[in-house]
Amino acid sequence: MFEDSPGDAPALPLVLLVDDERFTHGLVAEALNGHCELMSAGDGAEAVMAVESRLPDLIIMDVEMPGITGLDLCRALRESAATANTPIIFLSGHDEIADRVSGYAAGGDDYVVKPFSMRELNAKTMNLLENARLLRETQSSAEFATSTAMTVMSNMGELSVLLEALKAINGAKDTHKIAEAVIAAIGDFALQGAVQVRVPGQTLTLNSHGEASPVEVAVIAQMVDLDRIFQFGKRLLITYDRVSLLISNLPIDDPDRIGRLRDHLAMLAEGADVRVQAIVSAAESKQRGDTIG
C-alpha cells in the first residue's frame, strides 16, 4: 500500500485512491491537496483491506489494474452495505462509449479520462462529496418518502400512477413541465432515473434531484439510436423521437413487476413524446403564421 498523504485536519473528507501507478497518486494528491485526506491503495486487494480498516467518503479507482479490475472492484463494493452508496469515480485511458457504459453499469458515479485535468478531478470529487453529504442529511426524509410512495402505490396501483402522470403530461404547457411530470411518475413507481426531452435548439435532462448527472447525460446521448427499449442489468433505457427515459434501479428480484414497469414506462415515454411533438408543432405553426402575417 502506498503512503497516505499527510492529514492534519481530521474533518477533511477521506478519499481512497486505487491505482497501480505512483505518478497518478502524485497527481491526485496534488489535485485534492487541502480539500481531502487521501488514502492510497495499489490494487483491488489493498483497496478491500483499506476499506475494511477505514471507510472512505469517496473512492477514485483506475479501471485497468492487475488482479481485480476496477469494474469488478466497483461491483463488489456496491454489493456491500457499507459502500453501496459511496461515490466512485473511474479513471481510465479509454474514452469510448462502451467503456463509459461499462463504468456506469458497474455502479460508477462519474468517469474521468487520463490524462486528466487536476481542476476537473477536484471539481467532480467535491461535487460528489457534497451530494453524498446532502444524501446523508436527508436519509430519514428519503426513507419516509419511500415509505409514503409505497403506500401510495399500494392504494392507487401502478395503473393509477400511470394515468395520473399522463393526465399531468397532457396538461403541460412546456417541455420542462412534461419532464417534471415524468420524473414525478418515476418516483411514484418507487424508481430512480432520468428523463431527457429534445426539441429544436434545446435538450433538457432531469432526474429527481434536478439537473441530471454527466454520466446519465452521456449514456442517454450515446444510446438514443439503439432499440426502443434496452435493458442492461437493473438499468432500463426507453427512447422515442423526442423523449428518453433512463431507469437505474429496476427490481431485478421481481421479474413480474419488471414486465409491468417496462409496459408502464413505455406508455409514459410515448405519452410524453406525443405531447412534446404537439408543443413543437404548435410553435412551428405559430411561427409560420407570424411569417405569413
Side-chain angles (χ1 to χ4, degrees):
M1 187 176 297
F2 297 113
E3 291 293 330
D4 293 357
S5 63
D8 56 359
L12 292 177
L14 178 63
V15 174
L16 171 62
L17 171 63
V18 189
D19 198 297
D20 58 330
E21 297 180 358
R22 283 185 174 273
F23 180 71
T24 301
H25 285 256
L27 291 178
V28 174
E30 183 177 349
L32 303 183
N33 183 37
H35 296 89
C36 302
E37 180 185 354
L38 188 63
M39 179 170 61
S40 300
D43 55 36
E46 289 187 4
V48 172
M49 292 188 293
V51 170
E52 291 176 349
S53 66
R54 193 175 173 199
L55 189 65
D57 297 298
L58 181 142
I59 301 173
I60 301 173
M61 68 172 69
D62 189 17
V63 173
E64 297 179 349
M65 295 185 295
I68 304 175
T69 68
L71 297 178
D72 290 336
L73 177 59
C74 184
R75 295 187 188 99
L77 292 172
R78 290 302 183 224
E79 292 297 323
S80 170
T83 53
N85 296 314
T86 302
I88 294 177
I89 298 176
F90 279 116
L91 296 178
S92 175
H94 302 287
D95 192 23
E96 298 296 327
I97 180 58
D99 301 304
R100 290 180 177 269
V101 170
S102 296
Y104 180 75
D109 294 281
D110 214 328
Y111 195 98
V112 176
V113 179
K114 296 180 179 180
F116 56 85
S117 161
M118 288 188 287
R119 180 178 297 181
E120 175 192 10
L121 180 63
N122 179 283
K124 290 190 173 185
T125 298
M126 301 312 296
N127 181 60
L128 286 175
L129 284 170
E130 176 65 11
N131 289 342
R133 183 186 67 81
L134 294 174
L135 180 62
R136 289 192 300 269
E137 290 181 353
T138 59
Q139 188 65 44
S140 59
S141 298
E143 292 174 356
F144 175 77
T146 300
S147 175
T148 303
M150 293 303 294
T151 301
V152 171
M153 287 294 296
S154 63
N155 292 336
M156 297 178 58
E158 294 169 352
L159 186 57
S160 295
V161 171
L162 174 62
L163 294 176
E164 288 297 318
L166 292 176
K167 180 180 178 180
I169 289 170
N170 288 333
K173 301 300 183 182
D174 56 62
T175 56
H176 199 280
K177 291 295 185 183
I178 293 174
E180 289 179 342
V182 173
I183 288 297
I186 290 174
D188 288 340
F189 282 125
L191 298 173
Q192 298 174 1
V195 58
Q196 183 176 92
V197 178
R198 299 174 293 274
V199 297
Q202 182 186 19
T203 297
L204 174 67
T205 311
L206 300 179
N207 61 24
S208 59
H209 303 294
E211 187 176 348
S213 70
V215 175
E216 290 171 322
V217 174
V219 170
I220 293 175
Q222 295 294 335
M223 301 178 73
V224 292
D225 295 327
L226 298 180
D227 295 337
R228 175 148 291 173
I229 300 179
F230 182 75
Q231 182 178 345
F232 47 110
K234 62 182 180 180
R235 291 167 174 80
L236 176 70
L237 184 73
I238 300 176
T239 301
Y240 280 81
D241 292 341
R242 298 191 180 276
V243 174
S244 294
L245 298 186
L246 178 63
I247 305 299
S248 60
N249 65 332
L250 285 177
I252 55 177
D253 56 342
D254 190 347
D256 291 338
R257 184 161 185 256
I258 285 183
R260 297 196 308 271
L261 287 173
R262 284 169 61 106
D263 292 340
H264 296 329
L265 292 168
M267 293 178 65
L268 180 67
E270 184 177 11
D273 184 77
V274 170
R275 182 57 184 155
V276 171
Q277 182 59 58
I279 291 176
V280 171
S281 297
E284 291 174 346
S285 177
K286 182 179 183 302
Q287 184 178 21
R288 286 194 298 269
D290 292 343
T291 301
I292 294 173

